[in-house]
Amino acid sequence: MTATTVEGAVQTEVVRAPRPAPARIPFSRIVTVELRKSFDTRSGFWLMASIGILAVIATGATILFAPDDQLTYDNFAAAIGFPMAVVLPVIAVLSVTSEWSQRTGLTSFTLVPHRGRVIGAKLAVTVGVGVASMLLAAAIGALGNLLGSTIAGTDTVWDVSALELAYIVLANVLGMLIGFMLGVLLRNSAAAIVGYFVISFVLVPLSMLLAQSQAWFEKAQPWVDFNFAQGYLFNGDMSGQHWAQIGVTSLFWLIIPMTIGLWSVLRSEVK
Amino acid sequence: MIKVDSLTKRYGAFTAVDDVSFTARPGRVTGFLGPNGAGKSTSMRVMVGLTPATSGYAEVSARRFADLPNPGLEVGVLLDASAQHAGRTGREILTIAQRTMGLPAGRVDEMLERVSLTPTESGRRVRNYSLGMRQRLGIATALLGDPEVLILDEPANGLDPAGIRWMRDLLRGYADQGGTVLLSSHLLHEIEVIADDLVVIGNGRIVAQGTKAELLASAGTLVRTRDVPTLSRALVDADVEFSPMTDALRVEADPDVVGQVALRAGVALTELRAADGAGLEEMFLELTADTQREGVAA
């Protein structure tokens, strides 16, 4: 095929007044924009609101249905903890995958042409939302504990220390990071959410069964099963070895897949 | 200024963009023309860094897109008006872009007014927008940072005739103020009325490029007469190439040359003019004939 090229006569160029080169977009600005993006749709707003709503419902249910002697802060925390473990990772997944499922990445990644910075900002927002949500949930649980024991006429039992609370917050943030990792790796909302539930709720009993029947796996389990290692955080029972087990399992379940996911996000085509 | 140099993008064995080079200059509207699937959108995605090139490169304002510190202030991009979060309002989408670029909040209202989206419309969620409204919103996002360069993929899609007219005037004004405008289309007439320069692409390759005037000139002359055989003989004798059209001849020469030939042959003409639109259309079909779907045997 021959290309017909016509040599252009040089035209008088109209030149715009030169402007100073703009400053690089600061990371903090990308973070605030990403935070805004997690609230500015109806679905995003209600997902965030559901954190508070579910915490109130779980607290109310504990006051109504738990026996009087079970109205301890530990039980309130456990009741609130379950919906948090479901909702927070979904928030983390959607913050990443919506750029692909809604195709907003076309704009996001042209306004900020470094995908790592956008993903990094999303990560910062995810961790921030996780910590803030857990503190809110803890506060709602504390109010419930006060209210519940007052209604029941029992002594208010504070059986969760600040350190134990911090462990629980960390455990939930780790759960969110698993969701975030799946979002980055799969870049598909449904697949990542299903993947999260498989890891958190399907693998757990399977791993337990295997540990019961195979002695070798029982020994290996704390070093390979992320959920199992995370369990120590919920029990508030953290030894050096437990931290090491969390570190080792995080490496395989979180850091390596996250690295693969980031690598592919940086190289993939955004359509 | 947009410079594309030897750009190639392969997907496995398929070459979507094949050694494409061209420059879109300031003060001019450059039309990127080609049939569907010719590689226009892929080329544009490479220009803005969304698709990695296999080889070659694209520069905007003399830098790679990724090296622009705040691209929204230098390049306005609209690749797909439908690629917006359906659950956000039009105003919110502009606000996100305005915040990312670090512009004053007032810019959002200015842009909504500029693209004629009313406050009621901008308060609606994008899922309820027509394609025309999405295009206007996309244009508003592209213009938000008052950039020097605009890269627009099929911006007239879904606009009504008045909207197309509005878009044409807007882009003309932008180029007249020294802006660089690159817009793609698969519709020749759409691009013919606005572009100063044309880049015609088919099957990933550039098949023609130059100023519109030159490409029109090279498309020759349209001549009509009641005595076609005599004029045909005279043109053959004058060694001028021509091709018969439905009711006229298209001659590969300037109108005054054809006029002289007709005068010497004593043939009365009913029409003699540069083969403007018809010529470019024929050229477009001709140049893309072996690359467009209709021409390919199944």
Side-chain angles (χ1 to χ4, degrees):
Chain A
M1 197 185 319
T2 47
T4 318
T5 305
V6 183
E7 289 303 319
V10 180
Q11 302 281 329
T12 42
E13 286 184 1
V14 193
V15 182
R16 283 166 61 126
R19 291 184 296 186
R24 182 174 154 97
I25 301 176
F27 185 70
S28 59
R29 197 194 287 161
I30 308 175
V31 173
T32 57
V33 167
E34 287 301 330
L35 183 64
R36 187 184 175 105
K37 279 160 74 176
S38 44
F39 283 95
D40 69 355
T41 61
R42 273 195 199 129
S43 54
F45 175 80
W46 286 109
L47 201 55
M48 290 294 194
S50 71
I51 293 168
I53 295 167
L54 288 171
V56 169
I57 291 175
T59 303
T62 309
I63 295 174
L64 285 176
F65 304 124
D68 287 356
D69 62 334
Q70 297 284 306
L71 288 174
T72 64
Y73 190 54
D74 190 33
N75 283 329
F76 279 99
I80 297 170
F82 186 72
M84 292 303 114
V86 173
V87 174
L88 290 177
V90 170
I91 289 175
V93 164
L94 293 180
S95 79
V96 180
T97 55
S98 67
E99 296 284 355
W100 278 268
S101 62
Q102 296 283 338
R103 303 183 60 223
T104 47
L106 243 64
T107 310
S108 307
F109 297 133
T110 42
L111 288 180
V112 182
H114 298 273
R115 297 176 201 175
R117 301 184 84 206
V118 177
I119 300 288
K122 285 179 186 296
L123 185 64
V125 168
T126 296
V127 172
V129 165
V131 172
S133 304
M134 288 309 294
L135 294 180
L136 175 72
I140 291 172
L143 285 175
N145 193 23
L146 276 175
L147 192 65
S149 56
T150 309
I151 291 170
T154 55
D155 291 334
T156 313
V157 183
W158 299 107
D159 50 357
V160 179
S161 71
L163 184 64
E164 285 168 327
L165 195 63
Y167 288 157
I168 295 172
V169 171
L170 176 64
N172 276 279
V173 169
L174 282 175
M176 280 185 101
L177 292 181
I178 291 281
F180 193 87
M181 173 276 286
L182 288 166
V184 171
L185 191 64
L186 302 174
R187 300 196 290 283
N188 177 301
S189 308
I193 290 173
V194 169
Y196 177 76
F197 288 124
V198 168
I199 289 180
S200 305
F201 299 105
V202 179
L203 284 187
V204 173
L206 290 180
S207 172
M208 287 298 174
L209 272 178
L210 189 62
Q212 277 165 20
S213 58
Q214 302 288 331
W216 64 267
F217 186 73
E218 200 182 356
K219 279 185 196 145
Q221 194 180 19
W223 297 98
V224 294
D225 184 339
F226 186 65
N227 288 298
F228 191 90
Q230 228 184 328
Y232 300 129
L233 286 169
F234 286 108
N235 299 335
D237 168 28
M238 292 307 299
S239 64
Q241 182 173 349
H242 292 160
W243 282 115
Q245 286 163 346
I246 286 179
V248 169
T249 51
S250 297
L251 178 70
F252 289 103
W253 286 93
L254 200 55
I255 294 168
I256 292 176
M258 182 92 90
T259 309
I260 296 169
L262 280 175
W263 180 84
S264 87
V265 161
L266 295 183
R267 274 155 193 78
S268 70
E269 189 174 20
V270 180
K271 284 188 162 181
Chain B
M1 170 98 105
I2 304 167
K3 185 165 184 263
V4 177
D5 194 349
S6 313
L7 191 70
T8 298
K9 174 65 188 174
R10 283 193 206 94
Y11 296 96
F14 173 65
T15 305
V17 179
D18 190 358
D19 196 26
V20 163
S21 301
F22 68 87
T23 303
R25 287 171 222 286
R28 300 181 71 79
V29 177
T30 303
F32 199 21
L33 184 64
N36 293 321
K40 304 185 296 289
S41 298
T42 306
S43 304
M44 286 178 147
R45 279 204 313 275
V46 172
M47 284 174 216
V48 300
L50 290 178
T51 293
T54 307
S55 64
Y57 66 92
E59 280 181 351
V60 183
S61 302
R63 271 159 304 170
R64 283 188 331 126
F65 193 86
D67 294 335
L68 299 172
N70 190 344
L73 301 181
E74 299 185 67
V75 193
V77 181
L78 170 58
L79 293 184
D80 186 344
S82 295
Q84 288 298 352
H85 199 299
R88 288 197 181 111
T89 65
R91 166 177 291 275
E92 177 62 22
I93 285 168
L94 277 184
T95 305
I96 288 171
Q98 165 255 319
R99 299 235 168 158
T100 309
M101 294 179 210
L103 294 165
R107 271 305 272 180
V108 171
D109 289 301
E110 283 172 39
M111 285 303 111
L112 285 171
E113 199 167 313
R114 181 139 186 214
V115 301
S116 314
L117 283 175
T118 64
T120 326
E121 287 170 331
S122 66
R124 264 190 246 156
R125 290 172 200 278
V126 167
R127 72 164 57 86
N128 303 318
Y129 275 29
S130 66
L131 181 54
M133 285 164 78
R134 288 175 199 219
Q135 291 286 14
R136 287 174 186 270
L137 181 65
I139 294 285
T141 313
L143 296 178
L144 194 63
D146 191 26
E148 292 162 16
V149 177
L150 287 177
I151 297 178
L152 311 171
D153 195 1
E154 305 265 359
N157 262 7
L159 288 177
D160 54 25
I164 290 176
R165 175 65 179 272
W166 161 81
M167 162 92 61
R168 192 193 304 161
D169 294 346
L170 186 143
L171 297 183
R172 184 72 265 159
Y174 218 81
D176 288 346
Q177 286 160 31
T180 304
V181 181
L182 175 69
L183 83 159
S184 75
S185 178
H186 61 282
L187 298 174
L188 173 71
H189 290 293
E190 195 176 280
I191 236 163
E192 197 184 337
V193 286
I194 176 168
D196 304 302
D197 298 319
L198 286 174
V199 177
V200 187
I201 184 171
N203 251 14
R205 295 186 73 94
I206 290 185
V207 287
Q209 63 175 315
T211 67
K212 183 173 68 180
E214 289 160 349
L215 288 176
L216 283 174
S218 73
T221 299
L222 184 122
V223 57
R224 269 181 236 275
T225 173
R226 292 184 203 285
D227 189 2
V228 174
T230 311
L231 181 61
S232 301
R233 270 196 304 279
L235 288 169
V236 171
D237 292 343
D239 211 14
V240 180
E241 285 193 23
F242 67 97
S243 53
M245 291 170 69
T246 39
D247 59 342
L249 296 178
R250 197 171 67 79
V251 187
E252 305 284 340
D254 289 342
D256 65 323
V257 174
V258 180
Q260 293 289 341
V261 171
L263 178 64
R264 281 199 296 274
V267 178
L269 301 182
T270 54
E271 189 176 1
L272 174 69
R273 63 177 173 87
D276 266 350
L280 191 55
E281 180 154 27
E282 202 182 333
M283 182 198 79
F284 179 52
L285 290 173
E286 204 176 276
L287 288 173
T288 58
D290 53 335
T291 60
Q292 66 178 341
R293 284 155 202 279
E294 282 73 17
V296 178

